[in-house]
Amino acid sequence: MWISVGSVAERSKALDLGSSLSGGLGLVSVLIVFVWLGGNQVSPLRPICDLRVLDHFVREARDSEVIMRGCRGGCGVLKSYFVPLTRVDFAVWEHIDVQSQAVEVQTGLSLLVQALSRAKITVSNSPLASTLDNNISNIHSLGQILHSLDLQQARSTVLPDDSAPASSQMQEVSSLPELLQVQSSFLRGKVRLLLSAAPACQRQNS
Amino acid sequence: MDSELQSDWIGSQCLRLSVRGKSFERKVAQLLQDKTEDLKCFVEGKKDLTCFWEVEEERNLHDRYTFMYSYENEKKMACVVSSLSLRASNKTVLFCKLPQALFFTPLNVQVFRYGQILYNRIFNVENVLLLDPPSNLTVMSSGKEGQLNVSWLPPPLKHMDDSMIYEVRYAVEGSHMGKVEKVKASTTLVLRGLQSDTRYEVCVRVKLDGVAYDGYWSSWTDPVFAVTAPTDMDPLIVLLVLFIGLILCLLSLTLILSHHKFLLKKLWPDIPTPEHKFPGLFTVYKGDFKEWMSQNNGSMWGRSVHVYTEELPSTVEVLSEVSLTNYSTSPREGRKPAEKEEGSERTDSALMGGWREPPHAQWLMEQLRALQENPESFSQSTLLQSHDTYVALNQNSQRVQGDTEKQVDDVFEETLPLQTFFTTTGTSSLSASHSDLGSLPQSSGSGRLSSQCSFEYPNHTWPPKGPGYAYMAVADSGVSMDYSPMSSSSIAELGKRGIYTNEYKNEIFAHKWPFSCQHIESGY
């Protein structure tokens, strides 16, 4: 009996393996095809010109500030973060071309992502941690949006930790609340101005 | 930061600030009402950042106050302080127009008074936007009932116009009730549910939505007036109403026509005529009742008498007020004139021969004669007024004399002097017209008296040709008295018919009453 069962089990096992292998191979092949297609071809994404998406991100960044203000314990440690400059002088900004604006925005976003990720490690407060997660994913989405607008220029520039913020486009903050404030201002300011002035969207409107 | 100014809407009118002229002054005056900050700052667009505060002193202001500002990570800078007098509110403000307006970065402003810090404030410039009101406000009737198309132009601020929200206020011109509509991301609005053919005033104001930019409500635009379209009857409704009205008319018409006879009867009833009761009276005899009567003896009066007999219950007794003493004397008086007449003898003899004359019968006859001669006076004096006339038929008294003497006596005591008697068939020598009367009682009377009585006048026809007499057959139903006028010619018939009824009645009352019937003569 044992032998028979065992043999049956072995046979079933073999059968299972075989079927699973074949299924897996098929799936993998399909995936490979897709990736190849996706990799080779530059699929033009539809431009996302609706600013309500960004407004949503702005509100979530504001929520982080609110949670930060109400956080009591486990709210991160004092650390220096390199963050973009957020100030906008309209007289100056409007004279900068869009591509330069895009570079500035992309650099700033990558800086923010890095800072937020570093800050999140030190945070043990769960609401704050989750909202920081939100912010990080939002910034990633913004990158996608910019990509859809053909404004994705310099990708994430990883700064060495010891280098000083020589770039005029950077500033240093020393606490998480300040970091969040910067994030909020950056999204509302430069990112928004860029998106509203994106040529892809202008072509649509006109 | 997100403070909102009180609306300057008073009543229902888009009230402009009394401060005219520069928009800057208007904005300062408007912001003065904001109580959230002592040091008020606003930016009018992408530049022109101003901070001001209210002061009371008027002299040497510039010496006392110092204004310092600094953006993040930058050094402090001073700003030139200027003064402004507001004519409308009679207030003085000191203000500083900052040379550089940087958005999306914190700004720190400080006011020093005699070197001492008075006000200190940190804010982001993009959160204190106070814009000019919208321009080019146009209000037009859309053509549809109760609708107005409103459109305007936003303040010319690039990159910010997608963050603007608006308030549209509209009201009937002159009324105090206004409504507000909020508009987002659009510079047009259709007002619905308005009164038709009414003049409305509309005004608009603008503010940033608070997501990327924030600020205060702008002042209201100058009001724009427009008249809504007048009500026009929806042709479909008019058509439906007409159609339904038509259907209702047709229905009512059909109803009326189908029941027109009934309706006619109800609304315009026929005047009832007694023709059906008198067959042939109007058609054959042309209204000659006598002729018709003579021809239609049987059928008609059977009915009428039947009717009459229903009303004839029994005897009627009319008592006289004349006392017995008078009663005894009057016949004597009556006798004398009676003797003068020819017929009186005959009458007397007839009376004598016929039966046992009642003691005052003579007087009775005299009375009758007097009545004939002078009916009016008689009637006035004696007959009706004093109820002297009394016709009592007392045939029973003859027969049952022996038995009911007492009754008879009683009757005589009660009865009036005037008594009629009942002629037998034997006395047909009396006036011819009374022959019918004469024939009345005996044939049927198997000892029964008929209640029919008649006056008997020897010389005079009955009815007299002079003044007509209306004979009233008095029928006593036992409870009430019925007086029904009849013509003289009908008396004969009555007499005949009366027999039956009276017989009937007699049977009932015979043992009680001596049968008496009365004719009350009324001359006229």
Side-chain angles (χ1 to χ4, degrees):
Chain A
M1 286 300 290
W2 273 103
I3 298 166
S4 64
V5 167
S7 64
V8 165
E10 283 175 7
R11 258 183 264 141
S12 65
K13 262 190 185 174
L15 276 172
D16 286 339
L17 267 171
S19 62
S20 66
L21 269 172
S22 61
L25 272 172
L27 187 63
V28 165
S29 61
V30 166
L31 282 171
I32 286 167
V33 167
F34 272 123
V35 165
W36 177 76
L37 281 172
N40 279 359
Q41 290 183 5
V42 178
S43 52
L45 291 170
R46 190 177 293 179
I48 302 167
C49 293
D50 194 352
L51 288 172
R52 284 179 292 182
V53 178
L54 179 60
D55 287 346
H56 178 69
F57 297 159
V58 166
R59 285 194 207 98
E60 290 201 327
R62 199 178 293 171
D63 292 343
S64 295
E65 285 186 82
V66 171
I67 293 169
M68 187 69 228
R69 275 198 288 270
C71 178
R72 303 279 177 265
C75 311
V77 296
L78 285 172
K79 229 177 178 181
S80 72
Y81 306 100
F82 290 109
V83 289
L85 289 171
T86 59
R87 61 183 61 181
V88 171
D89 188 353
F90 279 101
V92 175
W93 178 266
E94 284 171 356
H95 288 96
I96 302 172
D97 62 311
V98 174
Q99 297 303 321
S100 304
Q101 289 175 0
V103 169
E104 197 167 338
V105 164
Q106 282 282 28
T107 311
L109 285 174
S110 65
L111 283 170
L112 278 172
V113 164
Q114 287 177 44
L116 284 168
S117 305
R118 283 173 64 216
K120 189 189 151 209
I121 298 166
T122 64
V123 168
S124 57
N125 187 293
S126 59
L128 185 59
S130 68
T131 193
L132 287 175
D133 274 333
N134 264 351
N135 297 142
I136 292 164
S137 67
N138 289 346
I139 291 170
H140 283 304
S141 306
L142 272 173
Q144 293 296 318
I145 291 169
L146 287 172
H147 179 67
S148 74
L149 298 174
D150 274 338
L151 296 172
Q152 195 171 25
Q153 301 300 322
R155 279 199 177 261
S156 56
T157 53
V158 179
L159 280 174
D161 289 327
D162 54 352
S163 65
S167 171
S168 58
Q169 295 179 4
M170 266 187 261
Q171 65 176 329
E172 193 178 352
V173 292
S174 56
S175 66
L176 185 53
E178 286 174 27
L179 169 60
L180 292 173
Q181 198 178 10
V182 164
Q183 182 201 203
S184 189
S185 296
F186 191 71
L187 291 175
R188 289 162 68 200
K190 287 181 178 177
V191 176
R192 199 170 198 282
L193 285 168
L194 176 65
L195 286 178
S196 64
C201 299
Q202 301 303 320
R203 265 183 262 125
Q204 268 191 349
N205 293 341
S206 60
Chain B
M1 258 201 246
D2 298 344
S3 59
E4 198 170 312
L5 286 176
Q6 286 178 4
S7 168
D8 58 343
W9 177 277
I10 294 176
S12 69
Q13 295 167 356
C14 304
L15 186 70
R16 279 179 68 184
L17 288 173
S18 56
V19 179
R20 295 211 170 225
K22 287 185 183 177
S23 64
F24 173 76
E25 278 184 35
R26 237 199 293 176
K27 286 176 181 176
V28 168
Q30 183 182 334
L31 262 185
L32 267 178
Q33 301 167 21
D34 179 29
K35 305 296 177 192
T36 54
E37 300 279 349
D38 293 322
L39 176 61
K40 304 173 212 300
C41 298
F42 65 92
V43 62
E44 292 180 60
K46 291 180 180 176
K47 47 190 175 64
D48 301 323
L49 173 63
T50 309
C51 288
F52 68 93
W53 61 102
E54 194 179 338
V55 292
E56 290 179 15
E57 309 90 37
E58 292 188 13
R59 284 187 190 179
N60 298 326
L61 295 167
H62 308 286
D63 301 337
R64 294 178 204 177
Y65 293 93
T66 320
F67 187 92
M68 305 295 288
Y69 72 95
S70 67
Y71 284 103
E72 200 177 25
N73 298 334
E74 288 189 7
K75 51 184 182 178
K76 276 188 186 178
M77 302 198 19
C79 176
V80 177
V81 175
S82 314
S83 67
L84 174 69
S85 298
L86 298 171
R87 281 159 280 165
S89 50
N90 223 12
K91 290 178 182 175
T92 310
V93 296
L94 292 176
F95 68 94
C96 165
K97 287 204 174 186
L98 279 76
Q100 194 185 32
L102 293 180
F103 288 72
F104 307 107
T105 190
L107 172 64
N108 185 17
V109 288
Q110 288 166 329
V111 174
F112 295 91
R113 187 178 170 206
Y114 294 122
Q116 301 291 323
I117 190 158
L118 183 62
Y119 303 123
N120 188 19
R121 187 179 162 188
I122 299 171
F123 63 95
N124 275 32
V125 175
E126 74 272 8
N127 293 332
V128 291
L129 277 158
L130 178 55
L131 306 172
D132 292 329
S135 56
N136 259 27
L137 175 61
T138 53
V139 184
M140 287 189 304
S141 171
S142 66
K144 288 186 185 177
E145 194 184 330
Q147 281 189 13
L148 282 176
N149 289 344
V150 185
S151 68
W152 59 91
L153 286 181
L157 286 171
K158 221 163 82 171
H159 306 309
M160 290 183 193
D161 38 16
D162 49 7
S163 303
M164 291 181 192
I165 56 171
Y166 308 93
E167 263 189 3
V168 177
R169 192 154 245 174
Y170 59 99
V172 177
E173 187 185 15
S175 92
H176 294 287
M177 299 295 295
K179 285 187 185 175
V180 171
E181 289 275 344
K182 295 207 173 184
V183 182
K184 285 184 184 180
S186 172
T187 56
T188 59
L189 178 68
V190 178
L191 295 171
R192 294 174 210 275
L194 305 175
Q195 300 172 25
S196 49
D197 205 15
T198 319
R199 197 167 152 89
Y200 278 86
E201 59 173 352
V202 183
C203 47
V204 185
R205 64 179 182 177
V206 66
K207 180 178 173 287
L208 276 302
D209 61 359
V211 179
Y213 304 95
D214 205 350
Y216 311 98
W217 280 109
S218 71
S219 60
W220 293 100
T221 58
D222 291 337
V224 173
F225 299 90
V227 181
T228 49
T231 45
D232 58 329
M233 281 293 249
D234 194 2
L236 184 67
I237 291 172
V238 171
L239 219 66
L240 280 171
V241 166
L242 282 172
F243 191 62
I244 288 167
L246 197 71
I247 288 173
L248 283 171
C249 281
L250 281 171
L251 276 172
S252 57
L253 207 69
T254 317
L255 209 70
I256 288 168
L257 283 173
S258 60
H259 295 94
H260 78 280
K261 281 182 186 169
F262 173 77
L263 284 169
L264 213 64
K265 224 179 185 181
K266 285 288 174 187
L267 294 171
W268 198 262
D270 294 332
I271 300 167
T273 59
E275 281 188 24
H276 62 285
K277 295 278 185 188
F278 302 89
L281 171 60
F282 293 102
T283 54
V284 178
Y285 297 99
K286 312 276 192 261
D288 190 351
F289 193 68
K290 279 187 199 171
E291 280 291 317
W292 180 83
M293 266 299 298
S294 57
Q295 297 300 321
N296 286 346
N297 289 348
S299 60
M300 176 53 213
W301 281 107
R303 256 181 284 155
S304 69
V305 167
H306 177 74
V307 172
Y308 175 77
T309 52
E310 286 174 358
E311 301 170 351
L312 266 185
S314 69
T315 62
V316 170
E317 193 170 329
V318 174
L319 298 176
S320 159
E321 291 178 3
V322 176
S323 62
L324 280 173
T325 51
N326 293 336
Y327 180 78
S328 60
T329 53
S330 53
R332 277 185 234 135
E333 291 170 2
R335 268 187 219 123
K336 287 176 189 176
E339 285 170 2
K340 292 173 187 174
E341 294 184 16
E342 293 179 356
S344 62
E345 290 177 359
R346 231 195 315 154
T347 308
D348 290 344
S349 63
L351 286 170
M352 297 290 274
W355 58 21
R356 196 165 63 94
E357 186 186 15
H360 42 270
Q362 194 72 23
W363 181 87
L364 178 70
M365 294 313 299
E366 292 300 321
Q367 290 289 325
L368 284 171
R369 262 184 236 119
L371 177 63
Q372 287 296 319
E373 287 162 7
N374 209 359
E376 290 175 0
S377 63
F378 200 77
S379 65
Q380 284 170 13
S381 59
T382 59
L383 277 175
L384 292 176
Q385 288 175 0
S386 58
H387 301 285
D388 281 350
T389 53
Y390 167 67
V391 177
L393 197 65
N394 287 328
Q395 199 176 30
N396 262 343
S397 62
Q398 291 180 26
R399 301 176 186 271
V400 297
Q401 199 181 30
D403 300 331
T404 59
E405 248 182 343
K406 287 181 185 178
Q407 287 182 5
V408 170
D409 290 338
D410 291 337
V411 168
F412 280 154
E413 283 173 3
E414 293 170 356
T415 57
L416 290 168
L418 188 65
Q419 282 183 336
T420 60
F421 45 88
F422 187 69
T423 57
T424 61
T425 49
T427 58
S428 59
S429 59
L430 291 171
S431 56
S433 63
H434 297 289
S435 60
D436 292 337
L437 295 171
S439 66
L440 279 173
Q442 287 298 356
S443 55
S444 62
S446 53
R448 299 275 179 192
L449 275 176
S450 94
S451 62
Q452 288 303 322
C453 336
S454 59
F455 279 113
E456 202 172 295
Y457 285 91
N459 289 332
H460 300 274
T461 58
W462 189 276
K465 288 176 185 174
Y469 285 85
Y471 300 101
M472 294 178 67
V474 181
D476 186 5
S477 60
V479 178
S480 63
M481 307 273 278
D482 285 327
Y483 295 88
S484 54
M486 302 185 305
S487 66
S488 59
S489 58
S490 68
I491 290 174
E493 297 299 324
L494 269 176
K496 284 180 188 170
R497 295 296 168 224
I499 291 166
Y500 294 98
T501 57
N502 291 333
E503 276 185 353
Y504 179 72
K505 302 293 178 183
N506 286 346
E507 284 172 2
I508 295 170
F509 295 110
H511 62 287
K512 287 183 182 176
W513 263 145
F515 216 31
S516 59
C517 73
Q518 300 137 15
H519 278 276
I520 290 183
E521 207 177 281
S522 64
Y524 64 119

